[in-house]
Amino acid sequence: MKISYNWLKQFINLDWEAEKTGELLTDLGLEVEGIESFSSVKGGLEGVIVGHVLTCVQHNNADKLKVTTVDLGAGEPVQIVCGAPNVAAGQKVPVATVGTTLYDEEGKPWKIKKGKIRGEVSMGMICAEDELGLGKSHDGILVLDPSLTPGTLVSDVVDVENDLVFEIGLTPNRADAMSHWGVARDLKAGLLQNEVSLELITPSTSKFNVENRTLKIEVNVEDKKLAPRYCGVTISGITVKPSPSWLQNRLKAIGLTPLNNVVDITNYVLHDLGQPLHAFDASKISGQQINVKTVDAGTSFTTLDGVVRELDAEDLMICDADKPLCIAGVFGGSDSGVTENTSAIFLESAYFNPVSVRKTAKRHGLNTDASFRFERGIDPHTTDYALRVAAIMICDIAGGQITSDITDVYPKKINDHQVFLNFDNTTKLIGEEISKETIKSILTSLDIKVNNVTETGIGMTIPAYRNDVTREADVIEEILRVYGYNNINFTQKLNASISGKLPIEDYEIRNVIGNQLAALGFNEMLNNSLTTSKYLSLSENLKEEHSVTMLNPLSNDLAIMRQSMLFSALEVAAYNSNRKMPDLKLFEFGKTYHNYSSGREERKHLSVLITGKKATENWNSPSETSGFFYIKGIVSAIFEHLGIVDTKEGVLKNDLFAEGITINSNKVTLVELGVLRKKVTKAFGLDSEMVYADFKWDAVLEALAKKTFKLKSIPKFPQVKRDFALLLDENVTFADLKNTAYQTEKSLLKEVSLFDVYTGGNLPEGKKSYALSFTLQDEKKTLTDKQIDKIMNKLQMRFEKDFGASLR
């Protein structure tokens, strides 16, 4: 946001250097990101001085050129070749001396150099008004007042305004500071804390006078929730023309292009007082009535930029008796605006519902100065005041008369709100005690009315325009920013408590696992927690009533908080797949959000998605496609890294997966993993097989918190491995065999692994072959063949009994 220092001084008569003022504004929370110079004439006429033409003779080699000698006030007169038809001896003229930089109509710089023109030396240039940026005429040179002294700076003679402009990085909550008046209010409070007391000067409305009542426009507000307050007045007999230079300079300083006096005044008041206004050509208002209402969905409307837009049923419109005229609070229409032929206007000043304006602006892809303010919340009490200020300016500058009373539709007043401030809470939050008198002084300087003061605190009334100050903590923040963060002392003593038990920090565990996955070739995703409700139809487990919905969504694609992290991962996969990147290994730490009858819940997750090849193709290694067992290995590696080994597999009941398993600990599901259903992946335009793991991260952290670690020495005695090749029924799983083996031999059996699976020919129907490896070890002595054979026989008998297995 740009704030003109000259403009700011209209509100507060301050003589500080701009840099010092900028530092104070930054301390107050209005961060000044930079200060730029502005001049109403580009370059500020630097190097342009008054010259006295001593002689003027015809050029010997050019009919349209003349050779002059010019006194520049110092040193010898210089010779300048000039092509202007009106140059003559005795004139006082503006001279751009050698080295001066001038600017063309497009703003491109060019430098005056010493040169020869048709054989005659020229030491500068006698300028026309368009060459200096003082006008558009190029009929001849600009002739100055003959009483001027040669050598005088032309910038001291003509009306050139120089200004300094603050670029303020305004935070979204500070809607009250979106104008020069708002910034001046904060500046006044900050100056008072620095023992500089200055009066805040605001525009007077004493000149507002209804000359006659010859043009009345009836106003009807149909939806008072979307337009809580609507004011309007008519002004007749105006002349639309360019604005005076002072008004143009104010707008140019903050980056606006002047259009005409009426439109410029509405823009001026917007940036002056923070109240958006809109002027309608009264002759284009059918039926002499304004209706504030919504219209039918699909209605076409052409905005000022010439774009035909299709309106939504929720768009609030300003209409006349027949048609829409303006998108309320956002953008005007092409057929109702002020033109050079306008002689009477209806001037609108309103307070529109911020949520409604924001939705409409986002829906149509519009971001205007008006919508920027309306959607953040303006001051509802300034609506009629700003209207009066603008009406007075239009009458003064455009020569009109006020021809109606102000219509003010304000059925339900928006009240200021009450807050109680506790002194003890203030001291606790700030970390230092601030005197009660200082607190009262700061609150009063911020237009916060102190109702009562007790031993424990202050009761106060917050003005409606401070819609970001609604709680005690907000008031304390206001006190602190005006008091000055830099004025809070640091204590010399640091107190800390030492915990007897080291906690498991979530961020540390996430970093450990994130680094592990990155080392395995995974890329981390960072997705938006907002998503579209259409994904809910992909699973019966996801209910619309369980969604946390946005009151003011940016779009329908960002209307709810996600109930599953899967869809965010599939969006990323689709984006990369469409860009010829089919081999993906992705992970994301994030949250899902749920709205149950018992309350809202946030759940932490680790999401892992894999598709395509395991690794990049290489000449010396075969290309392997990732699948279920690959992601299961990744999951196992994560649990092994975390030391969670006491887990069991379970049946997965989730309609997002075609097949899969759960891994549980103490009957709590830690992760769901498997192959995704084709209908789910196809909804994102993905044809390849996708495997996915969803870690219930809260459950993982809880399992870690319950885990105890024991240290033991490395065994001195060797391990022994023995293998079985078993013929089994097809429904027998490796997990069944593994669990049975550990139950059979609890002390010496250390590991069971599956190293081969065969389901081909030469086997009876309904059978399969598993090759299992068993690792045995006694940590106190070396195992004998007799012990080993005994254990293996026990395992064989148990497999035969429980599963009908036989050795191959």
Side-chain angles (χ1 to χ4, degrees):
M1 181 182 72
K2 294 182 183 296
I3 293 293
S4 157
Y5 201 17
N6 288 349
W7 197 337
L8 194 62
K9 289 177 181 179
Q10 293 177 194
F11 287 97
I12 190 162
N13 190 14
L14 181 64
D15 58 0
W16 281 12
E17 294 292 328
E19 289 75 14
K20 186 177 179 181
T21 303
E23 290 174 4
L24 178 56
L25 289 173
T26 299
D27 289 342
L28 289 166
L30 303 177
E31 184 181 358
V32 175
E33 298 174 341
I35 302 176
E36 298 178 352
S37 297
F38 167 79
S39 177
S40 58
V41 176
K42 192 160 186 178
L45 298 181
E46 186 176 349
V48 182
I49 60 177
V50 175
H52 182 199
V53 181
L54 301 177
T55 64
C56 179
V57 298
Q58 186 66 42
H59 194 295
N60 291 328
N61 298 318
D63 294 338
K64 295 184 178 181
L65 297 179
K66 295 179 181 177
V67 180
T68 67
T69 54
V70 182
D71 177 13
L72 298 179
E76 295 294 322
V78 298
Q79 178 172 294
I80 299 176
V81 177
C82 180
N86 64 328
V87 65
Q91 292 174 335
K92 299 291 176 63
V93 295
V95 177
T97 56
V98 174
T100 297
T101 299
L102 298 179
Y103 298 84
D104 62 18
E105 291 182 356
E106 297 178 354
K108 295 180 180 179
W110 55 286
K111 184 174 285 190
I112 303 297
K113 299 178 181 179
K114 175 184 176 181
K116 281 189 176 182
I117 301 176
R118 294 288 183 93
E120 294 287 348
V121 174
S122 184
M123 298 289 290
M125 185 174 81
I126 303 174
C127 301
E129 65 177 42
D130 66 327
E131 293 165 332
L132 297 175
L134 297 174
K136 296 184 178 180
S137 173
H138 195 71
D139 295 337
I141 59 167
L142 178 63
V143 180
L144 302 175
D145 188 334
S147 65
L148 294 174
T149 304
T152 302
L153 295 176
V154 173
S155 59
D156 294 338
V157 176
V158 299
D159 186 17
V160 177
E161 180 171 348
N162 295 307
D163 196 358
L164 292 166
V165 180
F166 300 105
E167 182 66 47
I168 295 179
L170 193 66
T171 53
N173 64 307
R174 292 301 309 276
D176 63 294
M178 292 188 296
S179 65
H180 287 76
W181 185 19
V183 173
R185 281 189 301 233
D186 258 24
L187 186 58
K188 176 179 177 287
L191 288 169
L192 192 61
Q193 189 60 30
N194 283 269
E195 299 182 349
V196 178
S197 180
L198 292 175
E199 181 185 358
L200 190 65
I201 307 165
T202 54
S204 171
T205 59
S206 60
K207 289 176 60 180
F208 184 86
N209 181 47
V210 180
E211 298 288 340
N212 55 68
R213 293 172 176 80
T214 56
L215 180 58
K216 179 175 174 56
I217 303 291
E218 182 183 349
V219 175
N220 176 37
V221 179
E222 292 188 12
D223 196 329
K224 296 177 175 59
K225 288 184 178 179
L226 300 185
R229 188 174 190 184
Y230 191 92
C231 300
V233 70
T234 62
I235 305 173
S236 304
I238 64 171
T239 302
V240 178
K241 58 184 179 181
S243 298
S245 59
W246 71 265
L247 179 53
Q248 292 195 37
N249 291 338
R250 286 285 181 268
L251 298 179
K252 288 178 181 178
I254 59 173
L256 298 183
T257 302
L259 298 174
N260 60 57
N261 49 9
V262 174
V263 174
D264 291 350
I265 288 168
T266 61
N267 285 331
Y268 175 86
V269 171
L270 181 148
H271 291 276
D272 190 54
L273 302 176
Q275 171 66 55
L277 305 171
H278 191 75
F280 299 90
D281 189 324
S283 67
K284 298 175 182 177
I285 300 175
S286 299
Q288 290 194 334
Q289 60 180 267
I290 288 290
N291 297 309
V292 184
K293 63 179 184 178
T294 56
V295 296
D296 294 336
T299 301
S300 295
F301 179 69
T302 305
T303 46
L304 280 170
D305 55 1
V307 176
V308 179
R309 303 180 188 275
E310 188 174 296
L311 300 177
D312 187 88
E314 293 184 357
D315 293 338
L316 184 66
M317 303 297 296
I318 311 300
C319 308
D320 59 16
D322 302 325
K323 61 188 180 298
L325 302 176
C326 173
I327 304 177
V330 181
F331 212 19
S334 61
D335 297 329
S336 62
V338 174
T339 67
E340 60 184 10
N341 299 319
T342 299
S343 61
I345 62 169
F346 174 77
L347 187 62
E348 165 198 279
S349 179
Y351 176 85
F352 296 118
N353 182 286
V355 174
S356 171
V357 172
R358 181 171 177 80
K359 284 184 176 181
T360 297
K362 294 299 179 184
R363 194 178 292 122
H364 295 289
L366 294 169
N367 183 22
T368 62
D369 283 340
S371 68
F372 181 81
R373 285 157 177 79
F374 277 126
E375 62 191 42
R376 284 161 176 78
I378 62 170
D379 183 1
H381 301 333
T382 308
T383 308
D384 62 334
Y385 170 65
L387 185 65
R388 292 171 186 271
V389 171
I392 292 169
M393 289 184 66
I394 290 173
C395 291
D396 289 344
I397 294 173
Q401 291 183 338
I402 299 171
T403 51
S404 76
D405 293 312
I406 289 180
T407 300
D408 189 355
V409 182
Y410 195 13
K412 186 177 180 181
K413 186 177 180 181
I414 299 173
N415 295 317
D416 299 337
H417 41 279
Q418 310 294 318
V419 175
F420 183 80
L421 174 71
N422 183 282
F423 290 133
D424 289 339
N425 290 344
T426 304
T427 301
K428 184 188 296 184
L429 201 56
I430 291 177
E432 180 176 308
E433 185 174 357
I434 299 176
S435 71
K436 296 177 183 179
E437 288 304 316
T438 301
I439 291 175
K440 286 172 58 181
S441 173
I442 291 173
L443 293 175
T444 303
S445 69
L446 290 170
D447 290 344
I448 296 174
K449 181 182 178 183
V450 176
N451 298 326
N452 56 77
V453 182
T454 66
E455 286 297 318
T456 58
I458 298 178
M460 67 198 77
T461 301
I462 312 295
Y465 68 80
R466 289 310 306 267
N467 52 33
D468 62 321
V469 182
T470 58
R471 307 167 300 162
E472 181 186 52
D474 300 329
V475 176
I476 295 173
E477 183 184 1
E478 290 297 295
I479 293 169
L480 183 54
R481 72 179 182 85
V482 176
Y483 181 77
Y485 292 96
N486 296 330
N487 293 327
I488 302 299
N489 296 316
F490 289 94
T491 58
Q492 298 300 313
K493 187 169 87 173
L494 180 64
N495 297 323
S497 299
I498 299 175
S499 173
K501 181 181 178 182
L502 290 176
I504 296 175
E505 296 288 354
D506 181 16
Y507 74 92
E508 293 178 342
I509 304 301
R510 283 189 278 115
N511 285 341
V512 167
I513 301 306
N515 289 335
Q516 179 186 3
L517 289 170
L520 292 171
F522 283 77
N523 290 303
E524 185 172 8
M525 302 176 286
L526 294 173
N527 288 310
N528 198 334
S529 295
L530 297 173
T531 187
T532 175
S533 59
K534 66 183 181 183
Y535 293 152
L536 300 177
S537 63
L538 297 175
S539 172
E540 293 182 0
N541 298 328
L542 304 176
K543 307 294 184 182
E544 188 169 354
E545 60 267 24
H546 294 161
S547 295
V548 178
T549 59
M550 296 293 99
L551 293 176
N552 186 22
L554 295 175
S555 69
N556 291 331
D557 290 336
L558 301 171
I560 65 171
M561 305 287 279
R562 61 185 176 187
Q563 290 189 51
S564 170
M565 293 182 61
L566 170 61
F567 308 125
S568 301
L570 290 175
E571 286 178 341
V572 174
Y575 181 89
N576 284 274
S577 179
N578 291 337
R579 287 155 181 79
K580 307 300 181 184
M581 296 182 66
D583 305 324
L584 299 170
K585 293 192 285 187
L586 306 168
F587 75 96
E588 179 186 11
F589 289 98
K591 292 181 180 180
T592 58
Y593 305 84
H594 311 269
N595 186 22
Y596 299 124
S597 57
S598 58
R600 292 177 178 174
E601 292 183 14
E602 291 184 17
R603 298 174 183 170
K604 296 177 182 177
H605 294 260
L606 166 59
S607 168
V608 179
L609 181 73
I610 304 173
T611 185
K613 297 182 178 64
K614 293 182 184 178
T616 306
E617 291 186 38
N618 198 296
W619 66 273
N620 64 352
S621 60
S623 175
E624 294 185 53
T625 302
S626 56
F628 171 77
F629 291 104
Y630 180 63
I631 197 169
K632 184 181 178 185
I634 297 296
V635 171
S636 298
I638 290 173
F639 283 139
E640 185 175 343
H641 198 155
L642 294 174
I644 301 175
V645 293
D646 185 17
T647 59
K648 294 183 179 180
E649 295 179 5
V651 178
L652 177 60
K653 297 178 180 179
N654 189 327
D655 59 0
L656 292 171
F657 293 88
E659 56 180 344
I661 61 171
T662 64
I663 296 180
N664 313 307
S665 176
N666 295 325
K667 299 182 179 180
V668 176
T669 299
L670 302 182
V671 62
E672 295 180 345
L673 67 145
V675 180
L676 294 174
R677 287 188 182 276
K678 283 291 183 183
K679 79 163 191 175
V680 175
T681 56
K682 281 186 175 291
F684 293 83
L686 297 166
D687 296 322
S688 58
E689 183 180 82
M690 299 269 169
V691 289
Y692 179 72
D694 180 16
F695 287 80
K696 317 300 181 183
W697 197 247
D698 291 305
V700 173
L701 294 176
E702 189 174 342
L704 275 176
K706 293 179 180 178
K707 181 173 177 54
T708 57
F709 292 88
K710 293 181 179 179
L711 301 178
K712 60 181 182 179
S713 59
I714 298 174
K716 298 178 182 179
F717 301 96
Q719 294 180 341
V720 177
K721 289 193 175 184
R722 292 289 186 270
D723 300 336
F724 274 162
L726 299 175
L727 188 65
L728 302 158
D729 292 337
E730 285 186 342
N731 61 350
V732 178
T733 66
F734 169 64
D736 295 332
L737 297 171
K738 182 178 179 181
N739 292 333
T740 300
Y742 282 127
Q743 291 171 6
T744 304
E745 178 52 56
K746 298 180 180 179
S747 60
L748 299 181
L749 182 61
K750 303 300 180 184
E751 185 179 355
V752 181
S753 61
L754 175 67
F755 64 88
D756 187 48
V757 178
Y758 180 67
T759 57
N762 303 323
L763 292 180
E765 187 177 349
K767 297 289 185 177
K768 64 182 176 182
S769 175
Y770 273 4
L772 303 179
S773 177
F774 302 88
T775 302
L776 306 172
Q777 185 180 40
D778 190 331
E779 297 179 0
K780 297 180 180 179
K781 62 182 179 179
T782 302
L783 289 171
T784 65
D785 289 341
K786 185 176 180 179
Q787 287 176 296
I788 295 168
D789 291 342
K790 183 178 178 180
I791 293 170
M792 298 306 294
N793 286 334
K794 280 169 57 179
L795 291 172
Q796 180 183 345
M797 292 173 62
R798 185 68 182 271
F799 290 155
E800 289 175 352
K801 178 183 176 182
D802 291 359
F803 305 109
S806 61
L807 295 178
R808 289 190 65 197

